[in-house]
Amino acid sequence: MRLLVAEDSVPIQKAIVIALQETGYAVDAAANGEDALWMILNHPYDAVVLDVMMPGLDGFSVLKKLREEGNETKILFLTAKDRVEDKVHGLRQGADDYLVKPFDLEELLARVAVLCRRKYGKTQSSITIEDLEIDTVAKRVQRGGRLIDLRAREYNLLEYLAMRKGELVSRSEIEEHIYDDLVSPMSNVVDAAIYVLRKALGEPALIQTKRGQGYVMESKI
């Protein structure tokens, strides 16, 4: 999953970005409202952590402009404003969640995970495909009762494909949602990651290749 952290406080932004990256997310960052708005409108983010009080456009203004453009990206407001009326104002403008500073990073990670699931119409924290079980909270994968050890980025790719079970997912979509802008368009990073993931999951294969189109994760039963 690909996220944006829009926060003007360098220490807070850095802490959030590192925590999300260690969980396996591809993360971009912005330090003002104008940059945040442009990035959200030009990238398919799965969720955005958006500070309310930022230079230039504040978080409320960014959200208002997004919704006016018909952009439905999941937004988690991050703010020092803890008054009920501030929360109500943010939610009425179209925010999906609201977290008050100071906050616990584990809670932020949990809330981001919920928003990412909601983007793909998932309400449960677990995904089952045949004998494969994915716990999206603990980030744990089992197949046939066997625990599968995956690196954070490999897990994130698996979760993304599983969230879109039965759908054709193009190579470019994977690059956009799993990797940041540092990945070269000519790189074979996606092919290599799919190979590693298939090997880790074992047989029968659950990830099918549609040559020249992309990949589909589906049950054969």
Side-chain angles (χ1 to χ4, degrees):
M1 305 296 177
R2 188 171 182 179
L3 311 174
L4 173 68
V5 176
E7 165 65 60
D8 66 311
S9 167
V10 175
I12 294 176
Q13 182 194 102
K14 185 176 180 180
I16 296 173
V17 168
I18 290 174
L20 291 169
Q21 288 176 333
E22 289 179 345
T23 309
Y25 294 105
V27 187
D28 296 327
N32 61 71
E34 288 87 349
D35 287 349
L37 178 62
W38 184 90
M39 294 173 75
I40 298 168
L41 290 174
N42 288 278
H43 294 83
Y45 293 114
D46 294 291
V48 174
V49 178
L50 181 63
D51 185 31
V52 169
M53 302 302 293
M54 286 189 298
L57 289 175
D58 63 22
F60 291 137
S61 298
V62 171
L63 178 61
K64 184 173 185 292
K65 289 179 179 295
L66 286 174
R67 297 310 188 231
E68 287 174 349
E69 291 286 334
N71 186 297
E72 297 299 324
T73 300
K74 300 299 181 185
I75 301 292
L76 168 62
F77 265 146
L78 194 62
T79 181
K81 293 188 173 184
D82 60 354
R83 298 184 308 167
V84 172
E85 51 264 45
D86 291 320
K87 296 180 183 180
V88 170
H89 177 60
L91 293 172
R92 282 180 173 170
Q93 278 199 307
D96 299 279
D97 203 352
Y98 202 108
L99 190 57
V100 176
K101 301 175 184 176
F103 56 89
D104 185 271
L105 278 173
E106 288 299 320
E107 181 178 2
L108 183 142
L109 292 174
R111 288 173 180 258
V112 166
V114 169
L115 292 185
C116 287
R117 290 201 303 269
R118 283 174 56 189
K119 174 180 172 65
Y120 296 101
K122 306 294 183 183
T123 57
Q124 301 298 317
S125 62
S126 62
I127 303 173
T128 301
I129 302 175
E130 289 191 16
D131 58 346
L132 177 69
E133 299 177 13
I134 304 172
D135 184 333
T136 64
V137 175
K139 307 296 182 183
R140 185 174 59 242
V141 180
Q142 295 184 79
R143 187 168 193 190
R146 173 178 65 90
L147 188 64
I148 299 174
D149 185 27
L150 297 174
R151 292 179 300 179
R153 189 56 57 84
E154 292 164 354
Y155 169 82
N156 204 22
L157 173 56
L158 175 63
E159 182 180 283
Y160 180 60
L161 292 173
M163 289 279 193
R164 298 187 58 182
K165 173 187 173 185
E167 297 179 32
L168 177 66
V169 183
S170 70
R171 192 173 183 276
S172 62
E173 285 179 302
I174 293 175
E175 289 175 344
E176 289 173 343
H177 285 270
I178 307 300
Y179 302 96
D180 55 34
D181 286 336
L182 297 178
V183 174
S184 167
M186 301 302 293
S187 170
N188 68 342
V189 64
V190 173
D191 302 321
I194 292 290
Y195 172 81
V196 171
L197 198 51
R198 280 183 176 139
K199 186 174 181 181
L201 296 179
E203 297 293 336
L206 295 175
I207 303 174
Q208 313 301 322
T209 299
K210 303 297 181 183
R211 191 168 298 279
Q213 301 178 68
Y215 305 93
V216 178
M217 189 163 194
E218 58 188 349
S219 170
K220 289 299 184 180
I221 297 177

